[in-house]
Amino acid sequence: MRTDSSANTASSATKHSVRKAVIPAAGLGTRFIPATKAMPKEMLPVVDKPAIQYVVEEAVRAGLENVLMITGRNKRPLEDHFDGVPLLEQTLEKKGDHERLADVRRASELADIHYLRQGDAKGLGHAVLRGKLYVGGEPFAVLLGDDLIDEQDELLSRMIEVQAATGGSVVALIEVDPSEVSSYGCADIQAVEGEDYVKINELVEKPQPADAPSNLAIIGRYVLHPAVFDVLEETGPGRGGEIQLTDALQTLANSDAEGGGVYGVVFRGNRYDTGDKLSYLKAVVKLASERDDLGPDLRAWLKDFVQSGV
Ligand code: G1P
């Protein structure tokens, strides 16, 4: 018979089954040159916060307060952003500007963030593999900075539950227009009876539309079984000559060993892509127009702007 205390232990173990997040942030940001010539793309402001802060906040909301950022050359501003700034804090304190002081401190108090350089830029799979020592033998999350998930939508916590229930790895999927599949990892899936998640049969990294197994695309949220590390070590270069996380997950999807099996949570909430200039501009406008302080004026201006026929 299950006693109350064993039930509590089980539920708290499930709740804390994932504690660590790996955030790859070593990319060169070439799509945003010249803005990213001397500044990491992760520091581009989305309204008034750097994109990377949204991502760390999302991890923390899902209970992941241990964060490893995989960085590279020219990424020092990331470390500075999540650190204290005594001079600025003292100045704001003296002025009695408590609101801004709280904003400054929020970033440095958010999470326990560690930094590790990727070294050779050999692809996303290689960046994740760099987290092996930090992560150890626990399931962990990977969050890619180009995707922002609306804070009303609890995608990551659902993925953590699905990982605990299945014991495998979990990807987040969205439906995209078939013409867009070549920008994403793409999944062939099957339903799991009675569940809202799906089982992945096959994953293909950035297929041509004609070769795509479906229009279900992987977005930048993963909850992975640590078995992925051994697989990544054996995964050779794939698309673009890079070590692809998608290829390692394809191996896991076909594996019956411990940690095998890959599942998908289909996300139907709001996702903001900041990965290229046009999507980034749309994300800034959408997020600003939803804010109480900026939204009303911005929406009114946008309406006039559109009506003026520019
Ligand atoms: C990476 C993954 C791809 C995934 C995408 C989501 O590609 O390799 O499978 O669909 O992230 O954003 P990237 O956009 O880094 O080229």
Side-chain angles (χ1 to χ4, degrees):
M1 194 184 83
R2 193 179 222 188
T3 64
D4 278 344
S5 77
S6 73
N8 284 342
T9 314
S11 76
S12 73
T14 304
K15 201 170 162 206
H16 299 293
S17 62
V18 181
R19 304 179 303 142
K20 296 178 182 174
V22 173
I23 303 184
L28 296 176
T30 43
R31 279 183 271 190
F32 287 90
I33 285 172
T36 49
K37 190 177 163 198
M39 181 183 70
K41 70 168 176 174
E42 294 80 9
M43 290 301 295
L44 287 172
V46 177
V47 189
D48 53 6
K49 251 190 316 194
I52 191 75
Q53 189 174 332
Y54 289 84
V55 178
V56 175
E57 284 174 352
E58 182 192 337
V60 170
R61 273 199 306 279
L64 316 176
E65 288 177 4
N66 300 289
V67 174
L68 177 70
M69 273 189 205
I70 310 294
T71 65
R73 209 167 282 280
N74 298 333
K75 299 287 181 165
R76 270 290 295 280
L78 294 176
E79 297 185 35
D80 292 340
H81 181 71
F82 291 104
D83 197 4
V85 204
L87 188 61
L88 177 59
E89 290 173 40
Q90 280 159 22
T91 310
L92 292 169
E93 204 151 20
K94 268 191 210 143
K95 279 191 187 165
D97 193 341
H98 300 295
E99 205 175 308
R100 289 203 175 89
L101 182 61
D103 280 341
V104 167
R105 287 188 172 150
R106 191 166 300 126
S108 37
E109 290 165 358
L110 253 180
D112 188 14
I113 306 183
H114 299 248
Y115 301 87
L116 180 69
R117 285 199 180 195
Q118 185 176 354
D120 293 339
K122 290 191 200 156
L124 177 60
H126 176 253
V128 171
L129 181 54
R130 296 286 286 136
K132 181 177 179 178
L133 262 183
Y134 175 83
V135 168
E138 307 172 21
F140 65 105
V142 173
L143 291 88
L144 305 187
D146 285 351
D147 285 311
L148 304 185
I149 301 297
D150 198 293
E151 60 178 68
Q152 313 290 331
D153 296 310
E154 291 203 354
L155 171 62
L156 203 50
S157 25
R158 180 65 194 132
M159 294 173 72
I160 291 171
E161 287 168 2
V162 173
Q163 195 287 323
T166 60
S169 290
V170 184
V171 298
L173 300 169
I174 56 165
E175 276 183 51
V176 297
D177 190 275
S179 63
E180 293 172 12
V181 285
S182 59
S183 303
Y184 298 92
C186 190
D188 176 38
I189 57 137
Q190 68 183 64
V192 178
E193 206 185 321
E195 298 295 351
D196 63 348
Y197 57 85
V198 295
K199 184 157 181 10
I200 306 282
N201 298 322
E202 193 195 0
L203 290 169
V204 188
E205 179 68 2
K206 302 193 175 133
Q208 285 308 307
D211 306 327
S214 76
N215 67 334
L216 285 169
I218 303 175
I219 55 166
R221 297 295 179 271
Y222 305 79
V223 178
L224 303 177
H225 188 281
V228 74
F229 292 123
D230 289 348
V231 176
L232 279 168
E233 274 168 350
E234 300 297 319
T235 302
R239 198 172 169 82
E242 298 190 335
I243 297 171
Q244 297 291 351
L245 181 58
T246 304
D247 293 346
L249 292 174
Q250 162 66 13
T251 304
L252 280 179
N254 292 321
S255 162
D256 294 329
E258 201 203 329
V262 178
Y263 299 84
V265 170
V266 181
F267 181 61
R268 302 188 199 282
N270 288 314
R271 158 194 177 246
Y272 310 96
D273 177 5
T274 61
D276 62 68
K277 285 179 206 167
L278 183 61
S279 316
Y280 167 79
L281 288 171
K282 288 180 189 169
V284 173
V285 171
K286 265 195 194 166
L287 282 163
S289 67
E290 282 162 15
R291 289 229 326 216
D292 292 341
D293 55 344
L294 299 166
D297 286 351
L298 179 62
R299 283 197 301 270
W301 178 81
L302 277 172
K303 217 169 157 191
D304 286 350
F305 183 65
V306 170
Q307 274 167 5
S308 72
V310 180

